[in-house]
Every structure is written in C-alpha cells, then in structure tokens.
Amino acid sequence: MGKYILSIDQGTTSSRAIVFDKSARIVCMAQQEFKQIYPEAGWVEHSPQDIMGSTMAVIAEALVRADISAEDIAAAGITNQRETTLVWDKATGKPIYNAIVWQCRRTADYCEKLKEKYSDLIYDKTGLIPDAYFSATKIKWILDNVSGARERAERGELLFGTVDTFLMWQLSKGEIFATDYTNAARTMLFNIHTLEWDDELIKLFGIPRSMLPEVKPSGSKFGYTHKSVFGSPVPICGAVGDQQAALFGQLCTEEGDLKNTYGTGCFLLMNTGERAVKSRNGLVTTLGATLTEKPPYVLEGSVFVGGAAVQWLRDGLGIINSADESESYALKVQDNGGVYVVPAFTGLGAPYWDADARGLITGITRGTTRAHIVRAALEGIAYQVEDIVRAMQRDSGIKITRLNVDGGASKNDFLLQFQADISDLKVVRPQTVETTAQGAAYLAGLACGFWKDEGEIRATASGYGVFSPNMPEPTRAKLLSGWEKAVAKARD
Ligand code: ADP
C-alpha cells in the first residue's frame, strides 16, 4: 500500500491538493484560484473546465512537490464546495452548462413560491428550508433553460452531479457515478430519513431519476481513477461536502460534538448522532460523514458575516491595515466601552432569519476610539456564533461544553477567548486548521485501511490551543443583554 493519502479540496474560490503521511501530517500542498463568473446580478457560475483544470493542476503540483508518483498514494479523498450543480452528457462527459454555484440566486423567486406550498414537505423530508442555495432548483433551471436539455434528460442522456460526483466521473473516465450522503443531503432531493432519493421531490422538480448518482457513505471504496489520468490507477475512498469534512477533520464523531469554522462567514455544525433533530430556531438538519451505512445527523447554522466584518474594518472603514492587526487593537482597550457592532450587512441568519436587518454600530460616546470599534466588531462575530450555539442547545437538549474551531479568523486569540467567555464553554483550536482537507483524508485513509481506526489518528493530533471561559457571570449577562438590544435596533 502507498505511503500517502491525497486530499483534493475543490472549494468555491480555489482548488487545493494536500498530501498527508501516515502520522496524519501535511507533507505538501498546492493551490490554484480560478475565475468567478457573474453573468447577471446575483448569478454565480464556474467554468467546468476551470474546476477540472485547476484540480488536475494542483494534484500534479502536489505530487511533484512531494516527489512521489500515483503508486505512492494509498487512496484519494475529495471534499468539495457543496450544492454547486453540474449537468453533463453521459456519452461525452461534456457539461451542457456552466456549474451553477451555491451562492447563485437565480432561482430565488421560484423558491419563494415553493415556500408557500411546500415548506413543510421539503423540511420534513430533507431537513432543509427551501432556498436557491440547494441543487434541486438549479438542476431544474438548467433543464428548463438549456435548449433540448429536458428531452435529453428524459431519454437518459444527461447526468447531474455536485462537484464530488463530477470530479469522480471525470477522473474515472465515466466509471464512477456516485456521491456521498453529505452531498446528497444538500440537493433538496434526498430524503434524510429513508436515505434515498425522494420520488415525490424528484417529481416536484421534474428531474428524471436516471440523472441521479448512487449515494454511498463518505468513506467508501468509490472506485479508481482511470490509469491514463495519473499513470496508474488511484483508489478514491472519500467524498464529502466541505463543512461535514471539517466536522470529521475535527474528529467530531460523537453526539454533541460541535465545530465552528470562522471564515468569511461562520459555519456551525453539531453532530446529533442517531437523532434527526427538528429545529424550532431556523437551523437546518443534515447528514454527517461516516464509514458506515448509518450517517449521523447534523444540525447546521451559519452566520453570513464572520471574518468579512474584519475585511470591512480593513477595506471599508480603513481603520486597520491587516486582518491580523484587529487583535492588537482589540486588546488596547479593557472592554467594549458600551459599543456594539452588529454586522448584519446582508440581513441576519439563524436564529433571526431577518433579511431586512442591516448593520449598525451602537453605544458610541465621546470616549469611543478606533480600538473600541475594532473590538466590538470582533465581539460581534462571537455574539452571532453564541446565538447559534444557544439555538443548537435549545433544539437538541444537549448541553454544549466544547467548541472546536478552525478557519482563517480562528487564529485570532482575542476572538477565541471572547467566544469562550461569552458562550461559557471551552474553545479548542487544533494545531493545523486545514480541517476540511484533513476530514477528506481521514475518511479515505480509514476506508482503505491506511489507518486502522480513529484512535490511531487521534493519537497523532497534537498542539491544541485551548481557551477556557473566564468571565464573571454578571459581566457576561450584561454583555449579552447589550447585544440583544443592539440586534433589536438592527432589526427595527
Ligand atoms: P474563506 O474560506 O471563507 O475564504 P478563510 O477561512 O480563509 O475564509 O478566512 C478568511 C477570513 O478570516 C477573512 O474574512 C479575514 O478577514 C478573516 N481573518 C483572517 N485573519 C484574521 C485575524 N487574525 N483576525 C480576524 N479575522 C481574520
């Protein structure tokens, strides 16, 4: 067996390939950005050639950098931008339209109509709130708008895939037509209770069943890359949506385990084990990564503006020179001085779901300085995360005591300490924050026997940063009440 695991991370703005060794450490990494296509306001597409080309390029570069060849790879795992939709010709492999990216709002009006009648049905079956993010209405759009597509689909000539499926199909030259539970769960076509494509939903969106891939556990033997692709066949043993990959990469495999990724936005995912928890607070229910036929259920909530608030301090207000500088400014003052920043630039997500809310800075006095505003903006990220943590606690009945974190803004110690204080829980940051790629690598490595079990991986994890809560309860209550009032103003 090869000595390495190859993790392929096909993200929204770039493709990356990372090689891991037996001790689960990163040997090398290659990354390539690609073009975002905006054909109309609110529309977002990727060229399928860019997705494929950048992926092939980074794999080749990673192998060269590690000075290894395909035979040295025990298995490859894929993690991908979720929900992004491709439709291609079964005979030629040629996509009939660009990839419609998860952010694309072109089907938003249709989804509003859908909500009036089908919200409950869709939520009960898929755990999702009808939205243009998810793949179903994007497939329907392609079938309705590309000339001749619907007829060809009905004749069984077209295939649909999220990016994992598309990559596996291309890398295997059409041998693998499959996806995993985590990606299927984000299409709005998959029943997360029966673990099958749902006939009623397929009919509702007018999507022929023959277009849909086989669904497998995230850690599975999906098949092999075609020998012409890398010189010799490489087994593909992992496919997983990016957020669930991060959850697995953080080894959140037990009920109650929770992770937050502090990126441009924040993504919180909580493993709820065998229970598909119904949310009363606007969270979605989805599936997690597994090596068995029984994927765990996951509660998911997201914050629209996370690290983007720091980008705004830098690029919009110009009051810091770099994102890193936000930390030293925040530490220049003892507290927020009564200032709150609610970064509701594009409305507020869970648990408020208020599209009309807008950002605000409140509590400014003559004594307010740049440092107070920077600090309040970082705190604003943590409060939004706390709102979701609380919603998850209420929905699941599980008392959360630990939050595992990753993502670009998680290197900010001030932010993590404030999170620990305001949420009254332990915040744990792993040594490498490449948890998404790690998750795909762990799944592939476990599925092919490269690693014996999870324990073997856990034993190699080291260098955790731990932030423990250290705020008097009255202070915490006062700050939370200030945040609540600020949110109320942002929603007024
Ligand atoms: P994404 O994957 O969403 O592109 P990343 O995980 O790369 O995001 O994180 C980038 C985000 O993290 C940016 O919004 C940036 O402003 C923020 N960020 C980066 N470094 C820091 C820092 N030291 N403190 C606070 N925010 C930061």
Side-chain angles (χ1 to χ4, degrees), residues 175-320:
E175 282 297 310
I176 309 173
F177 184 49
T179 188
D180 82 306
Y181 289 126
T182 66
N183 276 296
R186 313 294 295 186
T187 57
M188 215 158 77
L189 295 170
F190 194 70
N191 189 315
I192 60 170
H193 307 290
T194 62
L195 300 181
E196 280 168 351
W197 296 115
D198 189 272
D199 282 329
E200 204 175 346
L201 293 177
I202 291 172
K203 220 160 129 204
L204 176 66
F205 295 106
I207 294 162
R209 195 175 242 283
S210 58
M211 288 184 81
L212 303 175
E214 181 190 354
V215 188
K216 295 180 157 199
S218 310
S220 298
K221 292 184 173 150
F222 286 93
Y224 291 84
T225 62
H226 192 269
K227 64 177 182 310
S228 66
V229 177
F230 301 121
S232 57
V234 174
I236 300 177
C237 295
V240 56
D242 53 10
Q243 294 307 323
Q244 285 94 332
L247 189 69
F248 199 86
Q250 291 270 18
L251 296 171
C252 290
T253 51
E254 302 281 329
E255 180 175 338
D257 288 349
L258 170 69
K259 74 92 194 171
N260 179 34
T261 301
Y262 294 90
T264 309
C266 297
F267 285 93
L268 284 97
L269 273 76
M270 179 185 181
N271 186 328
T272 61
E274 292 178 8
R275 279 192 306 148
V277 172
K278 255 191 138 166
S279 176
R280 274 162 282 121
N281 295 287
L283 305 172
V284 302
T285 310
T286 194
L287 296 172
T290 179
L291 290 121
T292 70
E293 292 294 341
K294 278 194 82 159
Y297 289 98
V298 165
L299 263 183
E300 175 171 333
S302 52
V303 169
F304 301 150
V305 176
V310 177
Q311 280 168 319
W312 170 72
L313 294 177
R314 189 192 59 194
D315 306 335
L317 290 188
I319 61 173
I320 53 172

Side-chain angles (χ1 to χ4, degrees), residues 33-79:
E33 290 193 14
F34 56 86
K35 201 168 80 200
Q36 307 293 311
I37 302 169
Y38 306 107
E40 285 188 30
W43 291 29
V44 192
E45 297 178 1
H46 291 156
S47 144
Q49 286 80 15
D50 283 354
I51 291 179
M52 203 52 219
S54 60
T55 302
M56 291 299 290
V58 292
I59 295 172
E61 188 183 332
L63 296 187
V64 169
R65 281 191 186 198
D67 196 17
I68 59 176
S69 65
E71 289 109 71
D72 299 315
I73 298 170
I78 295 172
T79 176

Side-chain angles (χ1 to χ4, degrees), residues 13 261-265 306-312 314 323-327 378 381 406-412 415:
T13 55
T261 301
Y262 294 90
T264 309
V310 177
Q311 280 168 319
W312 170 72
R314 189 192 59 194
D324 289 350
E325 220 179 75
S326 62
E327 181 163 0
L378 288 173
I381 302 172
D406 50 57
S410 74
K411 53 174 191 254
N412 190 316
L415 173 64

